[in-house]
């Protein structure tokens, strides 16, 4: 009886701690977004005179959103962002699946060296190599073009390769052998068998990559400062000046920029979790 009571108390304490942690995480995530929403519905005078936590005097003050949409050139940013996302997803998927296929199915002398180089690239902080990368991009005459961030985004990483390799471990090598006996080349095997079976992983990584690109302001602002190449994140720079900033329009712009990536993630989140779980479980 005492043992059962103690177990019930432990379970109750565990549940309480779980809900406290859950509520805390929700507050950490949603309070900043809520403050930005409040700011987007205020005037500059009201924003400066009231607390960030105070409610706006008029919840139908949408002039800031109209200003952010027009002066921030949101449609232009949406177009450029779509180009970056679409091209990067296709190129990244093709490059990542081919590298993982070679590393999983073939044995060659420098295989461990290649894996080691990928590991080293993950360990070295990106900002320590930024000067060399910037000079390389500039020497290729890609600065201030869409090609600069595209070249960086298309590149794969060890986490992507690891997930693809986990999926390939579940695909029997006998499929390759049977196809080779029928006269299929390695390219035909990859195109007709391997790549279609890797689509769940490709969908997962593609969605994660897309959200990352839509939220990346560093690379896009550094390599494409030209106004005609503004993306959704860099469009916000129109409301930030050296001396003054239009904070209420900036808040409205943040919400407009946040919506596409948030809706995109919500719509495809089941594919993300399904792909990660399928890649993590063998058998």
């Amino acid at each position: 009886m005492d043992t059962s009571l103690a177990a019930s108390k432990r379970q109750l304490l565990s549940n309480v701690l779980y809900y406290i942690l859950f509520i805390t995480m929700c507050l950490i995530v949603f309070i900043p977004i809520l403050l930005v929403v409040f700011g987007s519905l205020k005037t500059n005078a009201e924003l400066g005179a009231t607390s960030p936590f105070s409610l706006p005097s008029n919840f139908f003050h949408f002039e800031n959103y109209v200003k952010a949409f027009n002066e921030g050139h949101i449609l232009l940013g949406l177009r450029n962002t779509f180009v970056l996302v679409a091209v990067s997803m296709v190129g990244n998927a093709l490059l990542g699946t081919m590298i993982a296929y070679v590393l999983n199915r073939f044995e060659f002398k420098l295989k461990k060296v290649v894996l080691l180089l990928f590991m080293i690239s993950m360990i070295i902080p990106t900002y320590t190599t930024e000067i060399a990368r910037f000079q390389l991009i500039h020497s290729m005459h890609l600065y201030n073009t869409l090609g600069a961030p595209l070249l960086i985004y298309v590149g794969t990483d060890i986490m992507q390769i690891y997930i693809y390799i986990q999926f390939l471990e579940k695909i029997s090598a006998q499929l390759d052998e049977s196809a080779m006996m029928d006269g299929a080349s390695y390219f035909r095997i990859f195109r007709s068998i391997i790549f279609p079976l890797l689509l769940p992983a490709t969908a997962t990584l593609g969605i994660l990559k897309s959200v990352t690109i839509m939220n990346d302001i560093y690379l896009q602002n550094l390599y494409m400062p030209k106004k005609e190449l503004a993306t959704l994140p860099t469009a916000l720079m129109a409301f930030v000046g050296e001396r003054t900033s239009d904070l209420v329009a900036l808040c409205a712009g943040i919400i407009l920029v946040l919506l596409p990536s948030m809706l995109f993630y919500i719509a495809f989140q089941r594919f993300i979790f399904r792909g990660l779980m399928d890649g993590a479980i063998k058998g």
Side-chain angles (χ1 to χ4, degrees), residues 160-203:
Q160 180 184 16
I161 293 174
Y162 175 78
I163 293 177
Y164 275 131
I165 289 177
Q166 294 304 305
F167 271 81
L168 282 167
E169 292 288 343
K170 299 168 58 177
I171 301 174
S172 175
Q174 294 180 355
L175 292 175
D176 302 31
E177 297 172 358
S178 299
M180 291 181 67
M181 292 178 63
D182 291 335
S185 63
Y186 288 120
F187 178 77
R188 179 64 184 275
I189 294 172
F190 172 80
R191 180 172 61 87
S192 302
I193 300 176
I194 301 300
F195 188 77
L197 293 176
L198 290 177
L199 284 179
T202 301

Side-chain angles (χ1 to χ4, degrees), residues 103 108-117:
L103 292 176
F108 50 94
K109 292 182 179 180
L110 299 179
K111 179 177 180 179
K112 293 183 179 180
V113 176
V114 172
L115 288 172
L116 180 61
L117 290 175

Side-chain angles (χ1 to χ4, degrees), residues 66-108:
V66 176
K67 183 178 181 180
F69 186 85
N70 293 328
E71 296 186 10
H73 304 289
I74 298 299
L75 288 180
L76 174 64
L78 185 63
R79 185 194 68 184
N80 291 331
T81 301
F82 176 79
V83 172
L84 290 178
V85 169
V87 177
S88 299
M89 282 180 61
V90 174
N92 198 248
L94 291 174
L95 187 62
T97 51
M98 288 189 290
I99 292 174
Y101 175 61
V102 171
L103 292 176
N104 179 259
R105 288 293 201 260
F106 298 92
E107 293 294 334
F108 50 94

